[in-house]
Amino acid sequence: MPGKKEWDVYFYTDHSNWGTPREWDDSNVAAMVTVPVSKLKNTQESFTMAINEINMDGAHLQIMWANTMVAVPFSVPTKAKTEASIDKVMAGPSANDYYSAASFYLDADKDLEKAHEWITKATVLSPKAFWMFRKKSLIEAKLGNTSAAIASAKQSLALATAAGNADYVKMNKDSLKEWGVKM
């Protein structure tokens, strides 16, 4: 809502209408901020919105039209997110990190011994993750270690059954049959 000295800038959750909603509903206002008006040196012929004054902690949403501009400052948690990410990496890989790396190596037909090492670490860190034991069985089968693949598939089958995951139950049963286990 423009004014001579300041604007009220509304952030509205219902964006199904271009421009101002036909029927204003205060319950759809997610946020409202009052900001001072600045005069532009050059005329802005088209209504323009831009994100400027960007820094690590935030930026300004600038709204410009004619010779007027308002800037809505906002912040972002860049430092906190980055520090959390650094802490996670420095603490060492998670089960999901090992699982992702092993999955990539299996899919890319890379060093399967390394993939097996990583998936084993993943299953140690997440001993109830039936999908990880499933991946472990596939890596072991591709390595030619059928007895280990069968043991891992049976572990995955038991965990998937307990979790009620019918898809993994079926996949494990199919693999076990393929590897010669009578079901």
Side-chain angles (χ1 to χ4, degrees), residues 42-81:
N42 299 317
T43 301
Q44 181 71 42
E45 291 188 25
S46 299
F47 177 83
T48 303
M49 295 175 69
I51 305 290
N52 288 314
E53 299 186 40
I54 299 168
N55 62 55
M56 185 177 291
D57 298 317
H60 287 164
L61 168 63
Q62 294 179 337
I63 304 170
M64 298 162 276
W65 193 18
N67 61 352
T68 303
M69 178 187 80
V70 294
V72 179
F74 62 91
S75 61
V76 293
T78 304
K79 289 178 184 172
K81 294 277 188 180

Side-chain angles (χ1 to χ4, degrees), residues 56-131:
M56 185 177 291
D57 298 317
H60 287 164
L61 168 63
Q62 294 179 337
I63 304 170
M64 298 162 276
W65 193 18
N67 61 352
T68 303
M69 178 187 80
V70 294
V72 179
F74 62 91
S75 61
V76 293
T78 304
K79 289 178 184 172
K81 294 277 188 180
T82 302
E83 287 173 8
S85 177
I86 289 169
D87 290 345
K88 181 182 175 209
V89 168
M90 299 312 285
S94 70
N96 286 332
D97 295 328
Y98 284 121
Y99 173 79
S100 295
S103 295
F104 173 76
Y105 268 43
L106 174 64
D107 294 343
D109 204 23
K110 292 187 64 72
D111 184 349
L112 292 177
E113 292 292 338
K114 187 59 132 175
H116 188 259
E117 176 186 330
W118 288 333
I119 199 65
T120 300
K121 287 180 180 181
T123 58
V124 167
L125 292 171
S126 291
K128 294 186 179 185
F130 55 86
W131 61 94

Side-chain angles (χ1 to χ4, degrees), residues 7-25:
W7 286 15
D8 291 335
V9 179
Y10 293 86
F11 295 89
Y12 204 71
T13 59
D14 180 5
H15 49 80
S16 61
N17 182 43
W18 288 89
T20 305
R22 294 182 205 282
E23 306 254 343
W24 187 264
D25 181 354

